[in-house]
Amino acid sequence: MAENPLPTERPRRLLAIDGGGLAGLIPAEALILIEQQLDQLTGISKPLCDRFDLIGGTSTGAILAAGLALGLKAAVLRDFYLNFGRDIFTKSFLPVQFWHKYPSAPLEKHLKNVFGESTTLGSDRLCTQILAVTKNATLGNDWFFTNNPASKFFKNNSGLPLWQVVRASTAAPTYFPPQTIAVVDEARKQQTYEFVDGGVSSYNNPSLQVFLEATIPEYGNGWPMGADRLLLISLGTGYNDVTIASGKASGYNLIDWGKYVIEEMMNEANLQQNVLMQLIGQRPTAVRSATEELTTSGAAAGVPRQDAVDLVGAGLGARKLVTYQRVTVGLTRQRLDGLGLQDVDPVKVRQMDAADQIQNMQRLGAAVAQEQVHMAALQKFF
């Protein structure tokens, strides 16, 4: 990314996008409406890379984040799922399927075509800062790839192909094979690591890490905090408790439990991230909170009510550190009916690889966007 110092007096604007496979269509539709509304409010047509100072994503969110940072229109990225989703999620032949459900070749091909094989993480083609969340399986820790020139590891990672970094973030265990990347370490020696989906961490919802990346000086930015100084819009891919029908758990095998643990861990981390962000963040006036969304839709049991979250936040006695808006949806029959999607099966659209539900995921995303994207409430930041 070319260094382009920003005016210090204006607020910083952050965007975080969850992982979720083909459910990336839900935030993709929100991005389309965000783009359209901001163009209307400002009277100027701009890509979202010119609207946001840092865009972070995990897994499918990394695809969207990288595409936006390259200046692609949100509708083009939405069409990535519509045009290539079925090809990407076509099952392997049986001998390969034992290890993972899908081959990586189709996904890699389409990532290279969209991002370019020669585009690197440090490329000047990237018009804003990005953050791609991955898990280094070889070392067993979370890795946050960024193009911020002030980042500690920028020199080590800047030459990595962008498509490869995104592919690493999308390498969901049991779905796709790991991504091997050769990285130059601090001693200038090349080390080869295997990376898996960033969702296999606490950051499938990357909101908190995006906030930290923007505000902690050691990460290279150190932007001022405050509800008037910092905006973070977080886009989810839908939520529902992971349940097992009574009497079925005793028959689960290792593969069943592996899939269950991954999905449940991602859900729990998602909830935790959101509650933390609501504690430190100021919700825009008259905008529905994610806590209200999940509790009233029946999508998550045991989530604290919004008034309880607000009470704890007030009890901290601290000023709010960021204006925070979460766009998400509870994937329940009750909620989909309320959106006028009576013909959409909430169980089917919860599956990240449900290629036969692509059109329904798009319809769901469009309905959620129309309901929850209200950029006029955030106009002062733009």
Side-chain angles (χ1 to χ4, degrees):
M1 184 185 77
E3 295 193 51
N4 184 21
L6 302 170
T8 56
E9 67 275 6
R10 77 155 175 80
R12 295 300 194 269
R13 304 172 299 238
L14 318 175
L15 182 62
I17 312 171
D18 286 15
L22 290 172
L25 278 161
I26 298 174
E29 288 291 341
L31 290 168
I32 291 172
L33 200 54
I34 289 171
E35 190 178 81
Q36 291 174 351
Q37 290 185 6
L38 286 176
D39 286 351
Q40 293 169 358
L41 288 168
T42 62
I44 303 172
S45 179
K46 288 184 177 182
L48 290 180
C49 63
D50 290 342
R51 304 285 192 189
F52 290 91
D53 304 305
L54 170 59
I55 305 176
T58 302
S59 193
T60 199
I63 295 176
L64 294 169
L68 292 175
L70 286 170
L72 298 179
K73 301 286 283 184
V76 171
L77 294 170
R78 184 269 317 277
D79 291 346
F80 177 89
Y81 296 88
L82 298 180
N83 295 333
F84 309 131
R86 191 174 295 275
D87 184 36
I88 291 169
F89 287 97
T90 297
K91 289 188 176 181
S92 307
F93 292 110
L94 188 59
V96 180
Q97 191 175 335
F98 179 80
W99 302 106
H100 43 263
K101 292 176 69 175
Y102 306 104
S104 60
L107 175 59
E108 292 175 5
K109 178 184 72 174
H110 295 305
L111 290 178
K112 290 175 183 178
N113 288 341
V114 172
F115 300 147
E117 287 192 61
S118 62
T119 304
T120 63
L121 186 62
S123 172
D124 287 348
R125 288 189 60 203
L126 292 165
C127 304
T128 192
Q129 283 189 36
I130 63 168
L131 182 74
V133 182
T134 65
K135 168 76 77 171
N136 186 322
T138 306
L139 298 179
N141 51 28
D142 304 327
W143 277 42
F144 307 105
F145 286 103
T146 179
N147 63 332
N148 180 0
S151 169
K152 178 180 179 181
F153 300 107
F154 177 75
K155 289 183 179 179
N156 304 61
N157 301 331
S158 62
L160 296 176
L162 180 64
W163 75 263
Q164 199 172 68
V165 170
V166 174
R167 163 74 178 89
S169 185
T170 63
T174 76
Y175 290 94
F176 295 106
Q179 175 65 41
T180 300
I181 299 181
V183 179
V184 177
D185 64 17
E186 293 182 78
R188 307 306 296 169
K189 293 182 179 179
Q190 192 173 75
Q191 304 288 343
T192 300
Y193 302 117
E194 286 187 305
F195 290 85
V196 296
D197 195 318
V200 189
S201 71
S202 298
Y203 305 100
N204 191 58
N205 172 352
S207 299
L208 181 60
Q209 187 60 34
V210 168
F211 170 78
L212 297 176
E213 200 78 23
T215 57
I216 294 180
E218 287 75 11
Y219 284 154
N221 287 315
W223 294 331
M225 292 178 279
D228 293 326
R229 305 296 301 276
L230 197 64
L231 167 69
L232 198 163
I233 299 177
S234 173
L235 305 180
T237 53
Y239 181 90
N240 202 68
D241 284 328
V242 180
T243 60
I244 302 174
S246 179
K248 295 291 186 181
S250 58
Y252 265 32
N253 58 33
L254 290 175
I255 295 176
D256 294 329
W257 280 118
K259 184 177 180 181
Y260 172 84
V261 168
I262 291 173
E263 291 180 353
E264 184 62 13
M265 180 188 69
M266 290 167 63
N267 271 357
E268 294 296 329
N270 190 328
L271 291 176
Q272 181 188 60
Q273 297 282 324
N274 188 65
V275 171
L276 288 172
M277 289 306 303
Q278 288 189 104
L279 285 173
I280 65 174
Q282 176 68 52
R283 178 160 45 101
T285 304
V287 172
R288 181 183 179 89
S289 75
T291 296
E292 290 172 323
E293 169 64 32
L294 299 181
T295 53
T296 59
S297 67
V303 177
R305 301 190 316 274
Q306 184 61 46
D307 57 353
V309 174
D310 291 341
L311 181 63
V312 173
L316 294 176
R319 65 187 177 92
K320 293 296 186 179
L321 305 180
V322 59
T323 290
Y324 175 71
Q325 181 180 357
R326 173 78 166 162
V327 176
T328 192
V329 62
L331 297 175
T332 64
R333 178 74 277 155
Q334 168 190 335
R335 189 69 176 93
L336 267 59
D337 287 350
L339 290 169
L341 300 172
Q342 292 86 353
D343 61 318
V344 177
D345 186 338
V347 175
K348 291 182 179 179
V349 294
R350 291 174 202 159
Q351 307 305 313
M352 62 172 282
D353 59 341
D356 62 332
Q357 295 297 308
I358 287 177
Q359 297 300 324
N360 284 335
M361 288 180 183
Q362 181 190 6
R363 292 172 58 208
L364 174 60
V368 172
Q370 288 293 331
E371 179 189 68
Q372 298 183 29
V373 174
H374 303 291
M375 297 308 295
L378 302 169
Q379 187 173 0
K380 66 179 182 180
F381 289 98
F382 296 92

